[in-house]
């Protein structure tokens, strides 16, 4: 947890509220003022109003356009003539590509070899030359920096530059305009540019508003860095939330986060997938795991947030295959999947009878594995492994009880 600065005290930081206001003017007519939608479900959970700031509906599908455009727009004509280069697995790539196209600047974007095809195609469609190089983002980043050194192109960092931070901070000004009664803003944190920008824009105007950052447990570089008082690199990072999968805080955002952000929390992978599922089912919003991290924090500890709360949905660029896996994980975390093993007599119609019992219990069969030959089984036995879709934890108990009542031995 990071303590707030004393009320009325504004530390000397690399990004000020005036910088954020200037970025807002730069972005006028470029970035959308995204909607602020109320969430009845989350409001009921917290007992106070919860609003969703829908940057997943921003141009290019994420907030990244704001920072990229602000950065490129500030370049001199000489720098623009050399072109720009960036490295990204998705959101920053698209933001830079569109920003450069709007400003008439040549852009080259390095992406990992395994980057999702829809994100690669979108980046090309926005006008960038895409180079696929490196197996992980760190390798791609080095390749982009080498290109910048060799060609003179200006490297556009995804979060570690004052102009980028100021651009992202325009979201904070919009939140204050759309929800002047806000008490808490919750935002996902990777390198920290988004949280730093929002804090830089909000805190000088409303020091009473708490700004809470959220990181995935497997990629939480800020807690140890804040404890150490300097950016600390993690040895490894692992999370489904690619948008906040960053191993080291940026120097520029770290300074601002340390001074102005009130708290940095962590969330589990189960919480991330549950939040994504909830947003899809209840809010009808497609959000990537990183964008769902603020909602994951609300679900994990609803009593920790004073309302009205604004949860920032930072992006919606989720690969369909990742979405499918994440939704399955979310349904499992919500108790809506049930896996069972049981034995039955190996005779004609036995499996059909079992499936009939499941139909009566209103459980949807997703997968069946039927084993007849195994040294553990008797001559007249077969083992069945079932994967079922249920209506929730109570229904899981009801299905298991129904099978036992029908005479089946449920093994797991």
């Amino acid at each position: 947890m990071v303590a707030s600065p004393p009320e009325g005290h504004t530390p000397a930081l690399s990004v000020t509220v005036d910088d954020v206001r200037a970025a807002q003017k730069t972005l006028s007519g470029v970035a959308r003022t995204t909607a602020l939608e109320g969430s009845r479900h989350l409001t009921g959970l917290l007992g106070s109003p919860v609003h969703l700031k829908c940057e997943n509906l921003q141009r290019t599908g994420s907030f990244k356009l704001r920072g990229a455009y602000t950065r490129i727009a500030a370049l001199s004509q000489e720098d623009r003539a050399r072109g720009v280069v960036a490295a990204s697995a998705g959101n920053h790539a698209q933001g830079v590509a569109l920003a450069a196209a709007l400003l008439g600047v040549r852009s080259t974007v390095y992406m990992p070899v395994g980057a999702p095809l829809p994100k690669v195609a979108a980046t090309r469609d926005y006008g960038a030359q895409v180079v696929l190089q490196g197996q992980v983002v760190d390798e791609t980043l080095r390749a982009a920096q080498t290109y910048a050194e060799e060609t003179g192109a200006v490297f556009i960092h995804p979060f570690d530059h004052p102009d980028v931070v100021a651009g992202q901070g325009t979201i904070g000004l919009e939140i204050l305009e759309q929800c002047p009664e806000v008490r808490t803003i919750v935002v996902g944190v990777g390198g920290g540019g988004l949280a730093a920008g929002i804090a830089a824009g909000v805190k000088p105007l409303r020091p009473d508003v708490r700004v809470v950052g959220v990181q995935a447990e497997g990629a939480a570089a800020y807690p140890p860095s804040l404890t150490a008082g300097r950016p600390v690199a993690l040895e490894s990072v692992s999370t489904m939330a690619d948008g906040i999968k960053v191993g080291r805080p940026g120097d520029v955002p770290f300074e601002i986060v340390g001074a102005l952000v009130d708290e940095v929390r962590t969330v589990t992978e189960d919480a991330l997938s549950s939040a994504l599922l909830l947003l899809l089912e209840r809010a009808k919003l497609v959000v990537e795991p990183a964008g769902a991290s603020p909602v994951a924090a609300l679900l994990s500890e609803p009593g920790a947030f004073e309302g009205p709360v604004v949860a920032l949905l930072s992006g919606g660029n989720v690969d369909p295959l990742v979405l499918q896996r994440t939704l399955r994980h979310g349904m499992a975390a919500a108790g809506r999947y049930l896996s069972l093993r049981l034995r039955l007599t190996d005779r004609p119609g036995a499996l059909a009878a079992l499936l009939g019992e499941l139909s009566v219990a209103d459980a949807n069969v997703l997968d069946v594995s039927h084993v007849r030959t195994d040294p553990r089984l008797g001559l007249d036995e077969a083992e069945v492994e079932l994967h079922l879709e249920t209506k929730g934890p109570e229904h899981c108990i009801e299905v298991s009880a129904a099978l036992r009542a029908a005479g089946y031995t449920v093994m797991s």
Side-chain angles (χ1 to χ4, degrees):
M1 180 173 176
V2 188
S4 301
E7 188 169 341
H9 171 70
T10 304
L13 299 172
S14 58
V15 179
T16 68
V17 67
D18 289 336
D19 296 325
V20 178
R21 284 173 170 152
Q24 190 173 44
K25 291 181 181 178
T26 299
L27 290 167
S28 177
V30 176
R32 295 171 181 158
T33 299
T34 49
L36 193 73
E37 300 286 348
S39 171
R40 185 171 64 177
H41 179 83
L42 291 171
T43 294
L45 181 67
L46 268 68
S48 59
V50 176
H51 306 280
L52 306 174
K53 177 63 170 166
C54 300
E55 279 294 294
N56 59 310
L57 303 180
Q58 183 57 262
R59 296 177 72 177
T60 74
S62 89
F63 71 98
K64 289 289 190 178
L65 172 66
R66 295 176 185 260
Y69 189 92
T70 303
R71 172 79 170 100
I72 299 172
L75 296 177
S76 67
Q77 289 300 321
E78 181 181 353
D79 285 339
R80 292 191 191 189
R82 299 204 305 267
V84 297
V85 61
S88 168
N91 288 348
H92 181 57
Q94 294 172 66
V96 168
L98 178 57
L102 292 172
L103 290 163
V105 177
R106 183 179 69 257
S107 65
T108 302
V109 176
Y110 281 73
M111 304 182 75
V113 173
L117 293 179
K119 294 184 179 182
V120 174
T123 303
R124 286 195 176 114
D125 287 345
Y126 286 127
Q129 177 185 352
V130 175
V131 179
L132 299 178
Q133 188 166 336
Q135 298 300 317
V136 295
V137 174
D138 285 345
E139 295 176 1
T140 305
L141 180 63
R142 287 193 293 271
Q145 291 170 328
T146 298
Y147 176 89
E149 293 167 0
E150 293 175 348
T151 65
V154 179
F155 180 69
I156 307 299
H157 199 284
F159 52 81
D160 204 7
H161 191 280
D163 290 340
V164 173
V165 171
Q168 321 302 27
T170 59
I171 300 171
L173 298 184
E174 287 181 17
I175 290 172
L176 294 184
E177 293 166 3
Q178 294 171 311
C179 185
E181 67 277 15
V182 64
R183 297 293 296 173
T184 306
I185 298 173
V186 190
V187 53
V189 178
L194 178 60
I198 288 176
V202 168
K203 280 293 189 177
L205 303 176
R206 289 283 304 279
D208 59 303
V209 174
R210 285 178 59 79
V211 177
V212 178
V214 182
Q215 294 206 286
E217 277 188 350
Y222 264 90
S225 296
L226 292 168
T227 298
R230 57 180 174 78
V232 174
L234 300 176
E235 292 185 2
S236 63
V237 291
S238 176
T239 177
M240 69 177 73
D242 286 344
I244 53 175
K245 191 177 179 180
V246 178
R248 182 189 183 278
D251 293 330
V252 171
F254 178 79
E255 167 202 24
I256 301 169
V257 169
L260 299 180
V261 172
D262 296 277
E263 181 184 6
V264 176
R265 307 174 71 89
T266 60
V267 292
T268 65
E269 299 297 284
D270 282 354
L272 286 168
S273 55
S274 295
L276 190 148
L277 178 62
L278 182 145
L279 287 165
L280 186 63
E281 289 190 328
R282 304 302 292 267
K284 316 306 177 191
L285 292 169
V286 176
V287 180
E288 61 194 83
S293 58
V295 173
L298 300 184
L299 294 176
S300 299
E301 194 175 349
F305 302 90
E306 180 184 359
V309 174
V310 173
L312 174 56
L313 311 182
S314 58
N317 291 321
V318 57
D319 179 70
L321 295 177
V322 173
L323 179 62
Q324 182 182 46
R325 292 195 299 269
T326 306
L327 290 177
R328 286 178 177 173
H329 191 89
M331 292 182 71
R336 290 165 58 181
Y337 279 147
L338 177 63
S339 296
L340 296 173
R341 280 191 308 116
L342 47 83
R343 289 185 182 179
L344 44 75
T345 303
D346 188 14
R347 56 178 175 75
L351 182 58
L354 171 61
L355 297 178
E357 293 289 345
L358 293 170
S359 177
V360 171
D362 203 18
N364 185 32
V365 179
L366 299 174
D367 188 48
V368 179
S369 177
H370 192 203
V371 179
R372 286 190 173 92
T373 56
D374 191 293
R376 299 171 300 156
L377 300 175
L379 291 175
D380 61 345
E381 287 184 322
E383 185 173 282
V384 175
E385 183 174 351
L386 298 163
H387 297 279
L388 311 172
E389 181 184 353
T390 70
K391 300 173 183 177
E394 292 183 2
H395 191 209
C396 288
I397 295 172
E398 293 171 3
V399 171
S400 296
L403 291 175
R404 290 188 176 94
Y408 294 101
T409 300
V410 179
M411 301 168 63
S412 63

